[in-house]
Amino acid sequence: MKLSIVIPVFKVEHTLDRCLESIVGQTFTDIEVILVDDGSPDRCPQMCDVWAKRDTRIQVIHKHNGGLSDARNAGIDKASGDYITFVDSDDYLDHNTYLSLMAMLGQHPEYDIIEFPVSKMSTSKKQTADLHWSDHQWDNARDYWLKGRGYQHTYAWNKIYKRHLFSSIRYPAGKVFEDAHILPLLLAGSGIIATTDTGRYYYQENPQGITMQARGKELSSLLEAHMNAIRQMDLLAQPSQAEVMLYYMHMVNLQLTVCALSSCQPLLPTLYVSPSLPGLSPIERIKAIALNIIGIKRLCQLYRTLSKLTGKYS
């Protein structure tokens, strides 16, 4: 089984070598590495070419700058492996990660997507968080999203996918939070989604990145992705279920922030949420009480007013 590894490259001359050393040093060797130089203005184009000369498994695509989605799509178009995965070029992996994961996929050909652990690293190279899961199989997208809380980790790079899932799916050009837009579509085409505590992806936090700098426009794109997922998977059906209420409150937090930053009308409907629901934070319990009394529209208006007074939008 061949694994295609797509790596978009843009302004990462200081981290690209570390990333690629972790890839070519993998103990699983049946790989093709597709470096997509997205019109990087630094030394990255030359570095990519040097790496391709050093290792015949590496291919390079040089293209005009089109953004992360466009770069990933170019790599998908070039990929020929049975499976495909993505790596951001300022990140890296534990050297046995793909060997153990591909062995698991060989034993379980019914797995369409497998998700593996992440360690988030700060700019000071200190570990800030661990995301890990037990070995589990989900036989439908809705359960994975709600019971497995897939909505909290929609990342592209800590998953391996059967390449055929992308036969008619590409990352949305011009969108931010593109992972949240595409994952529900990939889940819809999947039979079994597996999680495992095997392997490790090291994610380097970027204080200047979209995730940490997101404001109204960017968060509106994230809200759009979730609204599409809600419609596609009928996620708010059976609203009395605990996992549905927890997801809904996750969405309420996002909706409140978007409305406060952009003065838009809420897209979410009003649902009842039990304030005593396990898993809610104290502030979320207060929001749930207010939501149940005045509804999502008036809650957004109140939150917008309070945010303007305090200067806090989260």
Side-chain angles (χ1 to χ4, degrees):
M1 300 186 302
K2 180 189 283 187
L3 175 64
S4 297
I5 305 169
V6 175
I7 308 177
V9 176
F10 186 75
K11 289 186 178 180
V12 287
E13 61 181 18
H14 299 300
T15 60
L16 182 59
D17 283 342
R18 179 186 65 183
C19 173
L20 290 176
E21 285 165 2
S22 81
I23 299 297
V24 301
Q26 288 290 309
T27 47
F28 180 79
T29 58
D30 193 5
I31 61 175
E32 63 173 5
V33 181
I34 304 171
L35 298 178
V36 185
D37 162 35
D38 193 34
S40 189
D42 55 6
R43 294 188 303 113
C44 284
Q46 294 78 21
M47 293 173 69
C48 288
D49 291 338
V50 168
W51 271 99
K53 290 178 181 178
R54 288 170 56 180
D55 195 315
T56 58
R57 298 173 299 174
I58 297 177
Q59 308 172 53
V60 181
I61 299 172
H62 295 290
K63 58 183 288 296
H64 294 296
N65 179 253
L68 179 58
S69 287
D70 195 57
R72 283 181 178 163
N73 290 340
I76 293 168
D77 291 342
K78 187 77 171 177
S80 63
D82 305 288
Y83 293 86
I84 188 169
T85 192
F86 302 91
V87 177
D88 284 356
S89 44
D90 45 3
D91 301 338
Y92 56 101
L93 293 99
D94 182 83
H95 71 286
N96 282 323
T97 294
Y98 291 146
L99 181 65
S100 55
L101 292 170
M102 294 305 289
M104 194 173 298
L105 289 170
Q107 296 168 1
H108 296 278
E110 70 275 16
Y111 291 175
D112 291 305
I113 299 175
I114 191 166
E115 179 174 31
F116 57 97
V118 178
S119 288
K120 292 188 175 184
M121 314 296 289
S122 70
T123 51
S124 61
K125 298 183 180 180
K126 292 182 179 179
Q127 187 170 319
T128 60
D130 254 346
L131 304 177
H132 57 87
W133 299 269
S134 59
D135 290 348
H136 195 88
Q137 300 176 26
W138 304 95
D139 60 9
N140 70 78
R142 191 175 187 275
D143 281 351
Y144 166 79
W145 194 264
L146 293 174
K147 295 180 181 179
R149 301 194 186 180
Y151 56 87
Q152 293 182 336
H153 38 91
T154 60
Y155 320 116
W157 26 256
N158 73 322
K159 301 172 183 69
I160 296 177
Y161 317 79
K162 284 184 178 175
R163 185 170 61 87
H164 75 77
L165 294 176
F166 289 90
S167 60
S168 60
I169 295 174
R170 291 295 184 270
Y171 283 89
K175 300 281 188 183
V176 295
F177 291 104
E178 55 285 315
D179 295 355
H181 280 274
I182 196 174
L183 182 57
L185 301 177
L186 297 170
L187 294 174
S190 302
I192 301 292
I193 303 110
T195 58
T196 180
D197 203 30
T198 296
R200 181 74 51 178
Y201 185 101
Y202 293 95
Y203 168 76
Q204 183 66 57
E205 290 183 343
N206 179 5
Q208 303 305 315
I210 289 294
T211 300
M212 307 206 47
Q213 293 291 321
R215 298 295 287 173
K217 180 180 178 181
E218 293 81 13
L219 292 175
S220 292
S221 179
L222 179 58
L223 178 61
E224 176 192 352
H226 279 279
M227 294 305 298
N228 289 337
I230 285 170
R231 287 189 289 269
Q232 178 186 314
M233 291 185 275
D234 200 14
L235 295 171
L236 300 185
Q238 300 175 300
S240 61
Q241 290 183 339
E243 59 267 20
V244 175
M245 285 192 279
L246 283 172
Y247 176 56
Y248 177 73
M249 283 306 300
H250 179 84
M251 293 301 303
V252 166
N253 291 332
L254 176 58
Q255 179 71 85
L256 291 175
T257 303
V258 169
C259 285
L261 289 169
S262 61
S263 299
C264 67
Q265 292 299 310
L267 300 176
L268 275 179
T270 296
L271 296 183
Y272 173 82
V273 177
S274 171
S276 62
L277 181 69
L280 292 183
S281 67
I283 188 64
E284 285 177 327
R285 297 188 193 282
I286 295 172
K287 289 177 182 177
I289 293 170
L291 176 73
N292 295 338
I293 296 172
I294 64 176
I296 188 69
K297 184 175 181 178
R298 291 179 64 189
L299 181 59
C300 283
Q301 293 170 346
L302 176 62
Y303 187 80
R304 183 185 302 128
T305 300
L306 293 174
S307 296
K308 288 180 179 179
L309 291 174
T310 64
K312 297 180 180 180
Y313 292 88
S314 60

